[in-house]
Amino acid sequence: KQEVTQIPAALSVPEGENLVLNCSFTDSAIYNLQWFRQDPGKGLTSLLLIQSSQREQTSGRLNASLDKSSGRSTLYIAASQPGDSATYLCANTGRRALTFGSGTRLQVQP
Amino acid sequence: EPEVTQTPSHQVTQMGQEVILRCVPISNHLYFYWYRQILGQKVEFLVSFYNNEISEKSEIFDDQFSVERPDGSNFTLKIRSTKLEDSAMYFCASTLSGGFAYEQYFGPGTRLTVT
């Protein structure tokens, strides 16, 4: 059974810092890995999708990497802003639909 | 930009009642999904739907749940006899094609409260 773990569970940083969120998964037979943002009480906004044949994807200040052999993905956020405060979820598709991690709750202090 | 929409945003119902949650996927998408998130817990897969039939379902999706695409735009999740533990956010998602190889787009969710 696919398990997805995210570390840390919560993170508080001052504005302007670069930061890394971690995601690990147990089944290396994934199709893709998707990072989402969730604001309190809201839906899921897709940030980046990395297909299993890719190693990284970039969108603006966000960069996501994928290392299937070690079962890890990271989301790098450059020059963090207070508007980045949210919960960040990673999810992968193995032999079923998306399996989600429990998320990292990020607070960027102005 | 096209988006997945869901109605209602919040539904309150009494235990044992039937509820129908509605979703309008992105118009050219072919695969549809329902997920749920119990407060404080992970987002969990319920069911996927393609070509007017269920393609996969999780252990959560038991006989009290059903899905339907009644017309060319709507995708519904029905819970026949709600239980207290069905209280959760329910998210609809869709993908363009190819099942899990493509980015999934999520709706804003319906918060279901069972009293």
Side-chain angles (χ1 to χ4, degrees), chain A residues 61-105:
Chain A
R61 293 183 294 109
L62 305 179
N63 175 275
S65 67
L66 175 63
D67 183 344
K68 286 182 59 179
S69 62
S70 65
R72 291 181 182 178
S73 176
T74 60
L75 179 67
Y76 175 82
I77 303 177
S80 58
Q81 303 171 358
D84 295 331
S85 298
T87 296
Y88 290 80
L89 304 172
C90 70
N92 68 34
T93 59
R95 298 180 178 87
R96 329 182 42 175
L98 291 178
T99 300
F100 283 83
S102 53
T104 294
R105 189 170 63 254

Side-chain angles (χ1 to χ4, degrees), chain A residues 4 32 34 38 46 96-97, chain B residues 37 42 45 58 100 103-104:
Chain A
V4 179
N32 63 40
Q34 199 165 348
Q38 185 176 31
S46 179
R96 329 182 42 175
Chain B
Q37 184 178 33
K42 293 183 179 183
F45 166 70
S58 72
F100 309 137
E103 189 170 2
Q104 291 195 24

Side-chain angles (χ1 to χ4, degrees), chain A residues 6 21 33-39 44-50 57-64 75-77 83-84 86-90 104 106, chain B residues 103-106:
Chain A
Q6 291 188 248
L21 308 181
L33 191 130
Q34 199 165 348
W35 281 92
F36 294 88
R37 168 185 174 137
Q38 185 176 31
D39 292 284
L44 306 175
T45 300
S46 179
L47 298 173
L48 288 165
L49 168 73
I50 311 176
Q57 280 288 332
T58 298
S59 175
R61 293 183 294 109
L62 305 179
N63 175 275
L75 179 67
Y76 175 82
I77 303 177
D84 295 331
T87 296
Y88 290 80
L89 304 172
C90 70
T104 294
L106 173 66
Chain B
E103 189 170 2
Q104 291 195 24
Y105 293 87
F106 281 70

